[in-house]
Amino acid sequence: MQPDRGAAAHTIVAALLLLLMGGARAQSNGSDLGFDYLLLARMWPATFCESTKCDQPTYNLFTIHGLWPNSASGDDPVDCDKSDAFSRDLLTPEQLGRMSCEWKSFKGSNNGFWSHEWSKHGTCAKPLFQNESGYFGAALALSEQYDLNEALASNGLNPLAATAATQAQVQGILEKEWGVTPILTCYKGALQEVRMCFGTDLKPIDCPGGGGSCSSKGALDLPYGGEMPPVCASYFDGVPSASNVAAPATGSSPSPPPPPSRGGRPAPGAAAALLLAAAAAALAAL
């Protein structure tokens, strides 16, 4: 009987998170972190680019927007240490490779986007993650362990092929998978972001206050954003190729081409192993 390599991958990621949290707890020792929980926002790029002018091609997969420290009072911390400037030199090659696909900027440069997220949100998470590499590594690990694209695809809603989804469908899938209800945000009837909340122990929780901007009880559009770049195929584990991708419902949109073959990607778990190595490097610097 073949071992479940996908389960092994998630075990590796869980170990990574324990390493990160162990180092953080040893440093903070229960002191006030300045926030109560973390919000992991993942966006549908094509909807984002309908709400603003993008200058980079998009693709039909959810990507990371950010990992944001939040306060239960609603007074969320931002820009906590303006002296701590972002430097890509502090990130490992493995982290940068993943971020270029999973945390991609579709408006401006990746460096500008990551710098904004670090300055506004990451510096406020330093009491938990200690440094830039720890913060970005934790965000990547959470997105890997709670893989939104994989969860949807394994429940009949493959992002590579989907053109619409209902709020109840998305929330139901993630509640089934992880036991918490995500917040969905929309833009003009199209799904824009799926947000999950985590306690400071990095375990999923229901987001305080709920909410979201999706008021429609009907289908939410998932505008077609293009095929996944072949260079990114190894980073999106568990999302099966769609051999017959249906054309979007709107006649003005072009029929999407088939997604690229994933035959050459690393075995499941390889990406998670890279994250584990990145976490070890981050902790060595603590």
Side-chain angles (χ1 to χ4, degrees), residues 41-45 59 61-66 101-104 106 143 149 236:
R42 287 170 286 191
M43 67 181 181
W44 187 255
Y59 37 91
L61 288 161
F62 284 94
T63 60
I64 299 171
H65 183 173
C101 290
E102 297 181 41
W103 203 330
K104 179 178 171 58
F106 300 98
S143 191
N149 294 300
F236 290 101

Side-chain angles (χ1 to χ4, degrees), residues 243-282:
S243 57
N244 296 300
V245 183
T250 53
S252 59
S253 299
S255 298
S261 169
R262 293 170 177 264
R265 74 180 185 187
L274 293 177
L275 283 174
L276 186 60

Side-chain angles (χ1 to χ4, degrees), residues 71 110 176 178 223 232:
S71 170
N110 282 335
K176 169 194 166 187
W178 302 315
C232 295

Side-chain angles (χ1 to χ4, degrees), residues 133-175:
S133 184
Y135 168 72
F136 284 104
L140 290 168
L142 284 172
S143 191
E144 172 79 9
Q145 185 174 14
Y146 300 94
D147 191 318
L148 175 58
N149 294 300
E150 181 179 345
L152 295 175
S154 65
N155 285 275
L157 185 62
N158 189 339
L160 292 173
T163 59
T166 66
Q167 181 169 350
Q169 182 181 22
V170 175
Q171 289 180 330
I173 288 172
L174 301 194
E175 187 172 272

Side-chain angles (χ1 to χ4, degrees), residues 55 76 214 228 245 252 264 277:
D55 53 17
D76 304 328
C214 298
M228 176 181 58
V245 183
S252 59

